[in-house]
Amino acid sequence: MTATTAPPHSGRTARTAAEAPALARRQVHAVAGCYFVASFAALGLPPFLTAILPELGDPSARWAGVLYIVPTVFGAVGAPFWGRLADRYGRKRLLLRAQLGLAVSFLLAGWADSIATFTAALVLQGVLGGTFAASNGYLGAALEGPALSKALTLMQGAARAALVFAPIVVGSLSPWLSPHRQYALLAVLPLTAALLICALPESRGRRTEPPKAQDAPEPHPDDDPAQGRARTQAEDVTPAPDRGTAPVTSLRALYALEFAFVFSTVISFPYLVSLIEERLPGTSPAVSGVLFALPHLCYLVTAMAVHKGFHARPRIGLALGFLCIALGLAGHGAAGSLAALTAVRLVLGAGLTLGLVCLSVLAADCCRGRAPGGMFGSLEFFSKAGAVAAGVVAAVGNNVFGPAAPVLTGTAVALATIVPAALPLVNPLRTRWSR
C-alpha cells in the first residue's frame, strides 16, 4: 500500500514529500505528451461528425450539434468526482484510469453500428475520460508556484497542438479509413499513454487545507536547503517565492474567470467557417483551416515567453487577455478581407495566449494548500460548462441573427470581464506584483 492510500491514522502518512522525488522536466514533458496523444481522437474526430452520422442511420447528420457536446457535458459532471478520488486513492492511479477509460470509449465508438451505441460511447468518453484534469491534479501534487504554472502552460500547449494537428491527420486518413472507424484505430493512443504513465512515479503532495490569509505558511519538514536545491535543479525552474499572504485570487473568482474566458473564446469556434464563407466567398477549406488554427498556433509559439513576462502579475495579463479577445472578436464582425481576418485572428490569439497562461498561474497559486485533484476537477467542470454554454448560445445566435452573432456575443462577455479581472490591481496585494 502506498502512502496515498494509507488510512489517516497510519504511521505511513508521516512520510514527507521529501521521500517522493519531485518531477523532473522530462517527466513533466512525458505527462504533457501523454495528454497530447490521448487527445487526438477526442479533439480531432468531432469535426467529422457530419461524415460519421450518415453511416449510423442519420443521413442529414441532424444530431451532430448535440453529439458534439455530449462528451463535454458528461466530462464536466464527472471531473470533480474523479478529482476527489485521485486525492484519496492516488493521482497516478486515477490518471491511468482516465487514459484507459478513453481507450474503452474510443473502441466502442469505432465499432458502434447505431446512433444509440455511438451516443453511449460518447457518454462514456465524457464520464471515463477527464485526462486533462487528471494530468493537472497529478502535476499539482508534485509541483508548486512557477514550476506548476509552467507545467500547466505546457499542458495547454499540448491541447492546442492536438486541436491544430489532429483534424489534419484525421482528414488525411479519411480516403483510406472512414472517420467513424478511426475511433477504434486511435484507441491505441491512450493505451500507449497508459503504458508510459506506468513508468512515472506516484505524485504525492502535502496539501490538505487552504492557507489562512492572516497566517504565514508554516515550514514543512522537507523544506531543507539541500532538498530545495535538488528540486530546483530537477525541475530547471525558478523556485516559488515565499508567500505569507492569501492567494492572488479566490477560488470562486478563478472558477468565474475560467467560465467567462472559455465562453468568450469557444463561442467563436463552431461557426467561424460559415462567417469566413459569408465575408470571403470562394475561400478554400485549406485557408479557412489555417485561419481557424492561427490563435492556437499563436499560443504554441509565444506561451512560454508570455509565462516568463506575466507569471508575477497574472491579473494584469488576464485583463489584457480579455481586452485582446474583445478586440479580436469585434474585429471578426467588421473584417472584410483576408488580411483583416488574419489580423483579427492574431489579436484573438494574443488574448487566448494571455488568458490561458495567466489562468494557469492563478490556478497554480490557488492550488497552494489544497488537494489538487479536487481543485482541478472542479476547475475543469467550470471550463467545460463554459464550453457547453458557448455552444448553445452560438447555435441560437447563429440561427436567429447569422454567423456574426456568436463573435459579437463573445465580445460583450469579454468586455464585461475586463474590469472584474483587473479589480485586484487596487487591492493591497498589488505589492506582490511589483517584483
Side-chain angles (χ1 to χ4, degrees):
M1 180 182 293
T2 66
T4 308
T5 57
H9 60 275
S10 171
R12 294 190 180 187
T13 57
R15 296 178 63 186
T16 65
E19 297 173 356
L23 295 180
R25 173 187 285 186
R26 66 180 183 278
Q27 293 167 329
V28 174
H29 287 181
V31 174
C34 289
Y35 176 68
F36 171 74
V37 299
S39 300
F40 241 73
L43 297 177
L45 285 166
F48 296 88
L49 283 175
T50 52
I52 292 173
L53 294 182
E55 300 180 20
L56 300 173
D58 182 12
S60 61
R62 65 183 185 278
W63 291 103
V66 175
L67 294 181
Y68 192 94
I69 64 172
V70 163
T72 305
V73 170
F74 285 91
V77 172
F81 170 75
W82 293 121
R84 289 192 294 270
L85 286 186
D87 291 326
R88 183 172 182 179
Y89 296 109
R91 288 98 187 181
K92 176 181 174 180
R93 190 174 300 175
L94 270 292
L95 180 54
L96 278 171
R97 177 216 58 78
Q99 298 286 4
L100 294 174
L102 278 184
V104 170
S105 63
F106 291 165
L107 284 172
L108 180 60
W111 295 110
D113 57 0
S114 67
I115 290 288
T117 306
F118 187 74
T119 302
L122 296 182
V123 170
L124 285 178
Q125 178 185 326
V127 173
L128 299 181
T131 53
F132 190 71
S135 298
N136 287 349
Y138 176 87
L139 294 170
L143 305 175
E144 291 182 322
L148 177 56
S149 62
K150 190 174 182 179
L152 298 179
T153 299
L154 183 65
M155 287 294 297
Q156 285 288 355
R160 302 302 117 187
L163 192 61
V164 170
F165 296 112
I168 297 174
V169 173
V170 172
S172 300
L173 291 176
S174 295
W176 295 277
L177 186 66
S178 71
H180 177 206
R181 300 307 180 191
Q182 284 187 49
Y183 266 106
L185 173 65
L186 295 180
V188 72
L189 295 179
L191 286 175
T192 303
L195 292 176
L196 294 175
I197 290 168
C198 288
L200 294 174
E202 178 55 273
S203 179
R204 300 180 178 89
R206 58 174 177 263
R207 301 179 176 86
T208 54
E209 295 179 357
K212 296 181 180 179
Q214 68 271 23
D215 298 330
E218 297 181 0
H220 294 276
D222 58 330
D223 285 338
D224 62 277
Q227 177 68 21
R229 286 193 298 271
R231 178 171 178 168
T232 301
Q233 293 171 357
E235 298 168 354
D236 193 25
V237 295
T238 303
D242 182 28
R243 295 178 174 180
T245 58
V248 173
T249 189
S250 69
L251 200 56
R252 290 183 178 179
L254 175 65
Y255 293 157
L257 291 169
E258 178 78 13
F259 180 94
F261 175 81
V262 172
F263 181 93
S264 60
T265 52
V266 171
I267 196 170
S268 68
F269 292 174
Y271 299 100
L272 177 66
V273 174
S274 298
L275 181 64
I276 293 172
E277 292 175 351
E278 179 185 273
R279 298 296 166 81
L280 303 175
T283 302
S284 69
V287 172
S288 297
V290 170
L291 288 172
F292 180 88
L294 272 180
H296 309 294
L297 291 173
C298 183
Y299 181 94
L300 293 176
V301 172
T302 63
M304 287 304 171
V306 171
H307 180 274
K308 183 177 180 180
F310 286 94
H311 77 271
R313 48 190 68 83
R315 296 302 289 257
I316 295 176
L318 186 58
L320 289 174
F322 276 112
L323 176 60
C324 289
I325 290 169
L327 293 174
L329 290 177
H332 283 68
S337 67
L338 180 60
L341 275 173
T342 300
V344 298
R345 294 296 289 170
L346 289 175
V347 173
L348 180 62
L352 183 78
T353 304
L354 282 163
L356 287 173
V357 170
C358 293
L359 282 170
S360 293
V361 175
L362 293 176
D365 188 62
C366 283
C367 194
R368 289 185 298 113
R370 289 187 170 92
M375 196 209 84
F376 283 110
S378 297
L379 187 63
E380 184 74 355
F381 170 83
F382 285 94
S383 176
K384 291 185 181 300
V388 172
V392 173
V393 173
V396 173
N398 178 77
N399 291 336
V400 177
F401 301 107
V407 295
L408 295 178
T409 304
T411 300
V413 172
L415 283 173
T417 315
I418 292 174
V419 173
L423 278 178
L425 297 179
V426 299
N427 188 287
L429 289 177
R430 63 181 180 275
T431 56
R432 296 176 59 187
W433 305 325
S434 62
R435 294 187 295 272

